[in-house]
């Protein structure tokens, strides 16, 4: 079972000028005390075209985490404009908040972000070279897209002990093992339609 | 018999179904998207077609996808408080409803999937090494049994999860079904090893193993849910074979004989479920020639997709429904009234069948059932539970009125709250609720200013999250709950559907009792839920399209044309990042890099020790003065192991000097009403003083059936030790706690008094209510004796005090109050010529008392008067602190009672009528909420006084200027809120009416 469930994320100070820090208030619940810290990251997607332009705005450890409901504010500096392709500066992009435990990502919260000029003049005739100082960042806070992944909360312990056996993508293996052997397909297999044992 | 298949329940395989004891909801367990799934559904839409069609009535109340793999079994505890679920992930999860949290959505899901109720996992039980196939609560809810493909049955202590009481080993195959004997003497299990085993609960040893009916069985049934009849006489197995035909074997309790079976199914029987009721033949027109024997009713489900219902008095089945589903029947659950069943199937559907009493017979009442148990087996474990209280008939129309009014009020309040919240939720995520004049938003802001951020050894930022609620109690601070209001109409209709529990099936295809054709399932396929992606995408489009006009408004994407390219981002939402930085990168680095890092002591995630060290380092840097994160640092309850007290007749206390001096002064004679208390005269006698003992018991000389037990410093709460005073008289028992060690005690049938080490004398009523604030003795106690209504106190004179008087004031009634430098305040009681303790700043009772639920409303907390002036405002911190001491509920109750009684007595002493009434009402509410009948009764009795005038009565009709009977009138609606007290309510209501008519 997922030991940590994110109850909500509030986007603070939204909308705000492009250069201002991003602030999220995260509320989560933890069923059992976690022996290790959670690692939270804010990733700004610079361009839809390639992950190359992703910027990890910040990563922070959160802990200790006893059982209960918790809350913290995650603040990160604004993305570095120089790393954003000029063609992608204005318009829609995405900001992601991810959380990992023992190196395994178990939740990803994504928001659409719209960057646009507040000045109607600039909006009509945007400058060729984007003027970030005039851009307003608007995070579509009402519509988070949340993806959850199954991870092993006890940690890939064996693999941790024995570093040689570390799987390049431990989470991939884990999620596969977590998927039930009793999907609809196999459920059929359990009950062969022409079972004769009791006829 | 009527059949109804709710279409909205279709989906993935459903392995288990169970109806809540209150009949308003049911749970299903099965396969989810990529996990196991437990869903709690509302019963009303199943029962009533109009509720089913009403879109405002939520069908799903809560879904939990916490199980990692398929859920094989869901079972409610008999009291309805808990739900246990077991699954292929080898886990059993125990769920409890968090009552203080309103409806909320699953973060990120569309609002339709809002969880109307909040059920959270309170225990995860780990022991099985294979899939958990079945779970079962014992009749008295003290045990939970689980069985697994690991061939074992585990008995859990349901009072103290996750304690294991026993692991029953003996099966040599996958254990696939469990059932408790209704009187709690046995538990039976059925396994793939072709055996059914009965275990004794007395010693958890095998009673018998039955194999013969199973010899021919092949092991391919997914579940083997067997069942025990409610009268305890029969145990019916799942899949058994007789002459190559599948049967359900009937096993008689008497000698475990296997002479009968239910025959007729074409394939293996997967589930047998007895109706919880015992029936007797319906009497026809009073022409009952011979009284018929009570009989039981049993439903049998099979892999042949059909269901049969049997009465133990009939040789043939009452009903057979062929091909009810497309796939095997997996589980059956009866409603508590015994007239309906839910059946679930591997094909992902659930069917509801409704019977009439004509078909099944007249159900015996619980009392009759219990009588059968008692006459057959002696004492039954199936005791009267809380759940049954809810079905108690309301005997008094006045009571009914109060109950209805209360429900209505709650509904109005809820609606108002929803309206209010809906208004604000539209504009901003701000929540409008106010706590002590502070908005939730303000509180959050203040909290976040205090967010603790440190640096780890390698320079990374580490935030200590703010704990906003503990999980274990389910008692969340209402100030912080994260709820999203549902619309007013929805909540309203929900409520009405809950209050209307009439059982009806409006299926028009109803036929007579036999042979129901397969209901149409065609339209069901169309109602497949859109995938999450589609829902979310639609959501985005909808929002942006509808919100296009206000250009500069916040939080919307303004240009629809920009939505299209957003699809490019889709994968970014759902795919895990590929080693963007930090930990995952570390994992992917090669061996040499890791070695290098190891040397630098940097790879935290990979080295448990390192991270532990670094985290403890940073913890030390956290400033110690951070009040709001306090709940995290749970104060260990230094529960001392209490010495086992000797049972049996307590010896008489011989430690006290046998000589007693009773001196009466004129002042005391004048007030013979309550008590007489005189300090020892200045005689040069040297009197021995008793030494505090760990615990002692004494018998009251005037009433040999009465014992007083004292247990000093039995527990420590919030740094101060509590001592317990227990009084037992003719089986009636009361308890209270004091903050000082008790030196001596004395009692009569009317009062109990104890003298404490802190030189105070406390007086309690026969039901344990404090009658006076602690009386201050001039010197340590020496002896204490008590007659019917008088008692004599002898103290040994010893002076010396280092505290000074910090304040003296006179109340408007002329009561002198003296505050001392040590935070204590005393007032002078002219009638007893004593100083009484009315306030103590260090009083741990005040810190631990938790009577929030009994407060009428927020503003009523601010009650002004001399007591409030002396004590200062009752701080919120005290109430919050109550949560962090994590004390047992019993101790909390006792401290709360003791505190409230102190307050009442102090207000009385100060003659502050306003405050007296205030605290009396809180106290009464607390007694009602927590179910303290004796004290409540005594309180009412005192307020009512004698109904018929008698000359010798010492009862006074007023207290501090308030008419006692008026106070009683105020209390009655409070008492009426708990159905348990309806007799009490009726009694006093009638007496008040008599008095009024006079």
């Amino acid at each position: 079972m997922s030991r940590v469930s994110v109850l909500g994320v509030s986007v603070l100070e939204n909308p705000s000028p492009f250069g201002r820090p991003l602030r999220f208030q995260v509320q989560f619940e933890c069923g059992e005390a976690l022996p290790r810290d959670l690692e939270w990251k804010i990733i700004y997607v610079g361009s839809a075209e390639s992950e190359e332009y992703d910027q990890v705005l910040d990563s922070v450890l959160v802990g200790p985490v006893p059982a209960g409901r918790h809350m913290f504010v995650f603040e990160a500096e604004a993305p570095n404009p120089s790393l954003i392709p000029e063609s992608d500066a204005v318009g829609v992009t995405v900001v992601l908040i991810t959380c990992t435990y023992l190196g395994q990502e178990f939740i990803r919260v994504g928001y659409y972000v719209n960057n646009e000029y507040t000045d109607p003049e600039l909006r009509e005739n945007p400058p060729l070279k984007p003027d970030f100082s005039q851009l307003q960042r608007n995070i579509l806070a009402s519509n988070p897209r949340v993806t959850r992944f199954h991870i092993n909360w006890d940690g890939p312990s064996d693999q941790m002990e024995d570093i040689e056996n570390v799987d390049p993508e431990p989470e991939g293996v884990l999620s596969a093992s977590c998927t039930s052997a009793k999907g609809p397909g196999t459920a059929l297999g359990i009950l062969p339609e022409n079972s004769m044992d009791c006829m | 018999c009527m059949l109804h298949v709710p279409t909205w329940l279709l989906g993935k395989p459903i392995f288990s179904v169970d109806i809540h004891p209150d009949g308003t909801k049911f749970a299903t367990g099965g396969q989810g998207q990529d996990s196991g799934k437990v869903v709690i559904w509302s019963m009303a839409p199943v029962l009533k077609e109009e509720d089913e069609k009403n879109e405002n009535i939520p069908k799903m109340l809560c879904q939990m996808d916490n199980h990692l793999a398929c859920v094989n079994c869901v079972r409610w505890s008999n009291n309805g408080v808990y739900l246990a679920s077991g699954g292929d992930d080898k886990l059993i999860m125990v769920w409890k409803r968090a009552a203080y949290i309103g409806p909320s959505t699953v973060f990120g899901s569309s609002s339709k999937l809002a969880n109307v109720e909040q059920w959270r996992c309170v225990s995860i039980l780990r022991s099985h090494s294979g899939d958990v196939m079945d779970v079962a609560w014992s009749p008295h809810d003290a045990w939970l049994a689980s069985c697994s493909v690991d061939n074992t049955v585990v008995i859990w202590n349901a009072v103290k999860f996750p304690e294991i009481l026993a692991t029953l080993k003996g099966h040599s195959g996958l254990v696939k079904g469990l059932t408790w004997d209704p009187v709690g003497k046995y538990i039976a299990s059925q396994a793939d090893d072709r055996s059914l085993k009965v275990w004794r609960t007395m010693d958890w040893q095998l009673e018998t193993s039955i194999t013969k009916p199973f010899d021919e069985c092949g092991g391919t049934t997914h579940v083997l849910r067997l069942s025990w009849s409610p009268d305890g006489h029969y145990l019916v197995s799942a899949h058994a074979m007789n002459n190559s035909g599948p049967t359900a074997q009937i096993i008689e309790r008497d000698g475990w004989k296997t002479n009968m079976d239910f025959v007729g199914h074409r394939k293996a029987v997967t589930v047998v479920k007895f109706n919880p009721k015992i029936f007797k033949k319906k009497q026809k027109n009073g022409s009952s020639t011979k009284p018929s024997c009570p009989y039981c009713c049993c439903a049998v489900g099979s892999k042949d997709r059909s269901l049969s219902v049997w009465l133990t008095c009939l040789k043939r089945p009452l009903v057979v429904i062929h091909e009810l589903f497309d796939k095997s029947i997996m589980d059956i659950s009866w409603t508590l009234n015994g007239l309906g069943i839910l059946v679930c199937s591997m094909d992902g559907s659930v069917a509801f069948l409704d019977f009439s009493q004509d078909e099944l017979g007249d159900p015996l009442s619980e009392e009759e059932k219990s009588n059968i148990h008692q006459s057959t087996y002696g004492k039954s474990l199936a005791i009267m539970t809380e759940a049954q209280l809810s079905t108690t008939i309301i005997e008094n129309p006045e009571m009914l009125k109060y109950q209805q009014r209360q429900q209505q009020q709650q509904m109005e309040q809820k609606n108002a709250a929803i309206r209010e919240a809906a208004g604000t939720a539209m504009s901003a995520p701000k929540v409008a609720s106010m706590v002590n004049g502070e908005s939730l938003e303000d509180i959050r802001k203040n909290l976040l200013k205090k967010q603790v951020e440190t640096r780890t050894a390698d320079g990374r930022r580490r935030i200590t999250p703010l704990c906003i609620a503990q999980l274990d109690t389910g008692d969340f601070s209402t100030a912080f709950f994260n709820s999203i209001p549902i619309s007013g109409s929805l909540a309203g209709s929900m409520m009405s559907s809950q209050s209307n529990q009439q059982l009806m099936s409006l299926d028009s295809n109803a036929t007579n009792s036999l042979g129901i054709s397969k209901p149409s399932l065609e339209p069901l396929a169309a109602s497949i839920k859109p995938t999450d992606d589609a829902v979310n995408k639609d959501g985005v489009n909808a929002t942006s399209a509808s919100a296009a006009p206000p250009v500069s408004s916040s939080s919307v994407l303004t240009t629809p044309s920009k939505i299209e390219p957003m699809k490019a981002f889709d994968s970014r939402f759902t795919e895990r990042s590929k080693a963007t930085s930090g930990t995952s990168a570390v994992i992917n680095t090669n061996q040499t890099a890791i070695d290098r890092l190891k040397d630098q002591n940097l790879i935290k995630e990979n080295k448990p020790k390192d991270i532990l060290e670094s985290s403890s380092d940073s913890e030390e840097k956290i400033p110690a003065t951070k009040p709001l994160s306090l709940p995290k640092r749970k104060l260990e309850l230094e529960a001392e192991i209490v010495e086992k007290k000797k049972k049996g007749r307590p010896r008489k206390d011989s430690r006290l000097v046998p000589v007693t001096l009773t001196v009466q002064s004129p002042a005391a004679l004048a007030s013979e009403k309550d008590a007489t208390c005189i300090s020892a005269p200045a005689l040069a006698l040297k009197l021995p003083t008793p030494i505090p003992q760990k615990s002692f018991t004494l018998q009251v000389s005037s009433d040999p059936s009465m014992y007083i037990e004292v247990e000093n410093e039995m527990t420590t709460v919030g740094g101060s030790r509590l001592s317990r005073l227990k009084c037992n008289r003719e089986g009636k028992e009361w308890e209270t706690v004091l903050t000082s060690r008790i030196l001596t005690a004395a009692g009569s049938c009317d009062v109990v008094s104890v003298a404490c080490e802190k030189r105070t004398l406390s007086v309690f009523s026969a039901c344990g209510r404090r009658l006076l604030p602690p009386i201050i003795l001039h010197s340590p106690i020496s002896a204490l004796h008590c007659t019917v209504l008088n008692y004599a106190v002898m103290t040994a004179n010893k002076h010396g005090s280092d505290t000074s008087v910090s304040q003296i004031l006179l109340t408007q009634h002329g009561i002198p109050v003296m505050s001392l430098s040590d935070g204590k305040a005393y007032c002078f009681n002219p009638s007893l010529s004593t100083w009484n303790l009315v306030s103590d700043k260090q009083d741990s009772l005040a810190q631990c008392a938790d009577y929030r639920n009994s407060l009428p409303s927020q503003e009523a907390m601010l009650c002004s008067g001399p007591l409030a002036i002396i004590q200062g405002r009752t701080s919120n911190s005290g109430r919050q602190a109550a949560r962090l001491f994590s004390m047992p509920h019993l101790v909390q109750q006792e401290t709360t009672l003791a505190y409230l009684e102190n307050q009442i007595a102090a207000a009385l002493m100060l003659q502050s009528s306003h405050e007296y009434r205030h605290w009396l009402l809180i106290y009464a509410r607390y007694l009602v909420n927590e179910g303290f009948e004796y004290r409540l009764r005594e309180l009412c009795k005192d307020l009512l006084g004698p109904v018929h005038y008698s000359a010798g009565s010492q009862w006074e009709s007023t207290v501090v200027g308030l008419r006692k009977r008026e106070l009683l009138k105020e209390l009655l609606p409070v008492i009426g809120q708990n159905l348990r007290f309806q007799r009490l309510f009726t009694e006093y209501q009638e007496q008040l009416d008599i008095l009024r008519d006079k």
Side-chain angles (χ1 to χ4, degrees), chain B residues 179-282:
Chain B
T179 185
W180 291 91
D181 157 26
V183 291
K185 204 174 165 196
Y186 303 108
I187 179 169
S189 57
Q190 191 174 351
D192 267 353
D193 62 2
R194 295 173 189 168
S195 79
L196 183 158
K197 295 189 195 297
V198 181
W199 315 79
R200 292 187 292 268
T201 58
M202 194 179 66
D203 55 3
W204 303 115
Q205 295 302 308
L206 188 69
E207 165 81 14
T208 185
S209 179
I210 295 153
T211 54
K212 200 167 149 271
F214 310 104
D215 283 346
E216 299 172 61
C217 291
T220 55
T221 34
H222 185 75
V223 287
L224 297 166
R225 305 200 203 271
L226 64 172
S227 182
W228 213 304
S229 67
D231 60 8
H233 287 309
Y234 303 109
L235 170 62
V236 179
S237 79
H239 187 32
M241 296 289 276
N242 187 359
N243 279 326
S244 311
T247 64
Q249 182 65 47
I250 300 170
I251 297 151
E252 287 171 68
R253 185 196 193 96
D254 182 17
W256 310 115
K257 291 191 285 271
T258 55
N259 299 326
M260 299 178 283
D261 50 17
F262 293 130
V263 198
H265 280 282
R266 287 170 293 114
K267 289 186 186 176
V269 169
T270 46
V271 49
V272 174
K273 199 59 161 282
F274 267 99
N275 191 313
K277 292 283 182 197
I278 301 173
F279 294 92
K280 57 178 185 255
K281 269 267 148 32
K282 191 126 183 119

Side-chain angles (χ1 to χ4, degrees), chain B residues 589-606:
Chain B
T589 47
N590 59 32
Q591 181 68 49
T592 50
I594 283 172
D595 285 342
R596 187 161 40 84
L597 286 167
K598 214 186 275 176
D599 294 340
Q600 295 169 1
N601 230 359
L602 275 171
I603 43 159
K604 307 162 49 54
E605 267 76 9
N606 286 357

Side-chain angles (χ1 to χ4, degrees), chain B residues 514-534:
Chain B
L514 279 165
I516 280 190
S517 63
K518 189 180 172 181
S520 83
L521 293 167
E522 276 75 41
L524 313 186
S527 66
I528 300 166
K529 270 188 291 174
T531 64
D532 276 1
D533 266 12

Side-chain angles (χ1 to χ4, degrees), chain B residues 929-988:
Chain B
N929 289 346
E930 302 288 318
F932 287 99
E933 183 162 1
Y934 295 146
R935 290 184 198 210
L936 194 61
R937 197 168 268 283
E938 191 188 63
L939 182 68
C940 290
K941 196 173 149 197
D942 177 52
L943 291 177
L944 183 74
V947 180
H948 304 286
Y949 178 75
S950 64
S953 169
Q954 289 180 341
W955 185 75
E956 287 183 17
S957 63
T958 61
V959 55
V960 282
L962 297 166
R963 294 181 64 86
K964 284 185 177 175
R965 285 170 185 166
E966 290 302 317
L967 284 172
L968 182 59
K969 265 181 211 161
E970 279 192 77
L971 290 194
L972 277 180
V974 174
I975 295 166
Q977 282 165 12
N978 190 341
L979 260 186
R980 195 203 299 245
F981 295 129
Q982 62 166 316
R983 293 265 161 81
L984 185 76
F985 174 88
T986 311
E987 199 179 310
Y988 282 95

Side-chain angles (χ1 to χ4, degrees), chain A residues 1-3 6-9 14-15 25 27-32 35-37 39 41 43 45 47-48 50-51 54 56 58-75 90-94 96 100 102-105 108-114 116 123 138-151 160-161 163-164 166-168 170-171 175 178-180 182-184 187-188 190-191 193-195 197-199, chain B residues 12-13 15 31 34-35 65-70 72 88 91 93 101 106-108 120-121 124 126 131 216 218 220 222 239 241 244-246 266-268 303 305 326-328 346 444 447-448 451 456 460-471 476 480-482 533 536-537 539-540 543 551 553-558 562 566 568-570 572-578 580-584 587-588 591 594 604-606 608 611-612 619 632:
Chain A
M1 120 181 226
S2 181
R3 286 199 205 163
V6 176
L7 302 171
V9 176
N14 186 49
Q25 179 185 304
Q27 269 198 53
F28 63 96
E29 189 176 283
C30 180
E32 285 173 86
R36 310 296 167 77
D37 286 356
E39 184 183 19
K41 267 182 233 167
I43 300 164
V45 176
S47 166
S50 164
E51 283 186 39
D54 282 6
V56 178
D58 204 349
S59 91
V60 68
L61 298 172
V62 169
V65 185
R69 281 193 169 194
H70 310 278
M71 154 167 104
F72 70 99
V73 168
F74 190 4
E75 181 175 318
V90 178
V92 178
T93 184
V94 161
L96 301 168
T100 57
L102 296 171
Q104 311 162 87
E105 183 178 333
R108 158 165 298 219
V109 180
Y111 287 100
Y112 289 111
V113 181
N114 190 28
E116 63 181 4
R123 203 179 297 169
N138 191 348
I139 298 171
L140 183 56
S142 59
N143 213 283
R145 297 212 24 198
V146 182
T147 314
R148 296 177 173 89
F149 309 99
H150 281 301
I151 63 161
M160 284 301 183
E161 300 294 319
I163 235 113
E164 276 172 307
V166 168
D167 192 282
E171 58 268 44
S175 59
C178 293
T179 332
S180 164
K182 232 186 280 176
L188 277 171
I190 289 166
L191 270 185
E193 216 37 45
N194 294 320
S195 163
D197 66 289
C198 54
M199 292 300 284
Chain B
K12 300 206 175 259
F15 283 79
Q31 181 66 50
D34 52 356
S35 64
D65 53 3
N66 304 42
H67 274 284
L68 288 176
C70 186
N72 292 313
D88 284 359
L91 304 178
M93 295 189 190
I101 301 182
V106 173
F107 176 58
R120 55 197 58 253
C121 183
I124 300 175
R126 298 182 173 89
D131 306 3
E216 299 172 61
T220 55
H222 185 75
H239 187 32
M241 296 289 276
S244 311
R266 287 170 293 114
K267 289 186 186 176
K303 269 167 82 172
R305 302 173 282 157
D326 289 339
K327 285 181 191 160
S328 171
M346 190 76 114
R444 282 191 177 155
L447 289 184
L448 294 165
Q451 178 161 301
T456 60
R460 300 198 54 193
R461 281 167 68 199
R462 182 175 193 249
I463 294 172
T464 306
L466 275 169
C467 183
I468 53 178
Q470 305 271 311
L471 272 190
F476 291 91
F480 299 114
F481 68 65
N482 172 49
D533 266 12
N536 282 327
K537 229 181 284 170
V540 171
T543 328
V551 177
S553 78
S554 63
S555 76
V556 278
L557 296 171
T558 47
K562 283 173 180 162
M566 282 160 62
F569 294 110
D570 274 6
R572 305 305 312 282
F573 287 121
T574 49
E575 278 166 28
R576 276 190 238 213
S577 49
K578 290 188 193 108
T580 34
S581 73
T583 52
S584 30
I587 288 170
N588 288 335
Q591 181 68 49
I594 283 172
K604 307 162 49 54
E605 267 76 9
N606 286 357
I611 191 154
L612 278 178
E619 249 173 318
K632 276 183 296 187

